[in-house]
Amino acid sequence: MNPVTKGEFAPAPVRWFLARLMAHTELDDEEQRAILRLHGQAAEVRAGGVIAVQGTTIVHSHLVARGILAQFDEASDGRRKATRLFVPGDMCGLQTVECPTIAWGLCAFTSCTVLHVPHDELRKLVNRFSGIRRALWREMAIDASVRSKWTGNAALKNGAERAAHLICELSLRMERVGLCDRNAFNLDASQPQLCQALGLTPVHTNRVLGELRRKGLISTGRRAITVGDWNGLRKLAEFDPAYLY
Amino acid sequence: MNPVTKGEFAPAPVRWFLARLMAHTELDDEEQRAILRLHGQAAEVRAGGVIAVQGTTIVHSHLVARGILAQFDEASDGRRKATRLFVPGDMCGLQTVECPTIAWGLCAFTSCTVLHVPHDELRKLVNRFSGIRRALWREMAIDASVRSKWTGNAALKNGAERAAHLICELSLRMERVGLCDRNAFNLDASQPQLCQALGLTPVHTNRVLGELRRKGLISTGRRAITVGDWNGLRKLAEFDPAYLY
DNA sequence: CGGATGATTGAGAAGTCTCAACCGTGGTGG
DNA sequence: CCACCACGGTTGAGACTTCTCAATCATCCG
């Protein structure tokens, strides 16, 4: 069996993950096969459902198979702020392989399916294959870059700009996996969920989305946002995809 | 020459860096010696001075020897937001070893001295020593955790709370290096610099600092903030050092 | 001494929050 | 099948946080 054939039998999220890595790092056949052999128990989680609790120790990373996963920080009064979102094919928590006690929480941003990939398996790959080591290092570099942009956005952009930026980022990342066209991106998140990603109250999130809608940039439905004018969103948000590599 | 003796002759920032790593990862003698042999050209930078420009490709990481270094994100109108600060002994830009084109900028938060450590050297260490690999992986995990906290803070805390949180974080990190006592921490940053870290305007930064001063939590001078009541700051900021590991 | 920079204060505007109410939809139990 | 309820979306009004513009003062450096 050649690796391509084997690849076709690997679960889609694992193939997406491999494609992600190969977008920035050359991996030889053996390394590709090793990635494709990754597996983990699948779990379905409804929007808002908690997957991992702040302060606990976990023994696996989370590979997104469907929907969107959120890392979040929580205030003492329970308010949450998403600090990073993960789309299908993303391996969330690569850092936790060597640092398994998490200072952040993990929840489902939209209804989603995650594969629990044991840290042990990832650790073995890293120790054995220099290409995979390089690839995961780069994944963490991209992760840091995205976090940096989010921190910057929180201070440098207002609500509408942040919302536009978020939609640009998610649509582009979903497009790269091959799950949508950026001009026809549909996000099935409720406004109460969205407001955690934007760092706004539900009421103001509603007003900001209304503003984007009135400008013809998006259309909204119950639990759904659809891109209407991607370029308009990009301009409003000053979205520059360089930070996504 | 035994490693300890040699270590005493390594530059202080390199020894601090080694101590940082050994706080979370066991390294054998050979690995310790390898770290202590790290070196790089030193550069002095005045507060606000740019060290690396967004979008360029760099060939070394930056080890802080004195002062505080800032990664920042920049808006098109030139406003900057610091997204991560680095104190002496911190290796800034570990991620860039395998991803050298930076999507963020780098500048001096306070007047500082940095050592330019070639990526090549770090890459060699990582490929050769599994302990160092693990240690740097953990450094990147802590980095992600801190970034996550900063993103959360931007949305979950107001100006005064963020200022208190920043002072708590920096004083604790400086204390760990052995450069100060948290109750006697002095930050020699001007308010125009501080405002970039807090995500506030200079005017509002001034008002927020005045509020902390009136509460007896800090005292301020020209280009300086001194901790007056660390526990008071901690309570106000709801500072929990877990995210620093 | 003069100019640049930082700290401080005031006043009004903009962005966002809070509280409140109302509506539509979808699911649930009687 | 219907009544009801939970939830999400929407809108209004007023309050609070932060920004903007402006002015003043002190300090440091040339």
Side-chain angles (χ1 to χ4, degrees), chain B residues 209-238:
Chain B
L209 292 179
E211 186 185 333
L212 296 184
R213 194 188 328 122
R214 276 189 301 279
K215 286 182 177 167
L217 302 176
I218 61 171
S219 56
T220 61
R222 188 177 170 76
R223 286 172 163 278
I225 292 178
T226 306
V227 169
D229 174 7
W230 198 87
N231 262 310
L233 287 170
R234 181 182 57 75
K235 276 181 203 155
L236 176 65
E238 294 193 348

Side-chain angles (χ1 to χ4, degrees), chain B residues 127-177:
Chain B
N127 283 326
R128 180 157 171 206
F129 299 107
S130 66
I132 293 178
R133 190 183 309 154
R134 199 156 41 240
L136 299 191
W137 196 290
R138 285 181 184 154
E139 281 295 297
M140 290 192 284
I142 295 170
D143 184 78
S145 174
V146 175
R147 288 175 198 278
S148 185
K149 180 57 77 177
W150 276 50
T151 305
N153 280 349
L156 299 174
K157 300 191 197 297
N158 65 23
E161 292 163 347
R162 286 207 299 277
H165 201 278
L166 180 76
I167 296 166
C168 284
E169 178 183 316
L170 287 178
S171 58
L172 201 57
R173 287 168 63 189
M174 295 286 275
E175 185 184 69
R176 285 185 182 180
V177 188

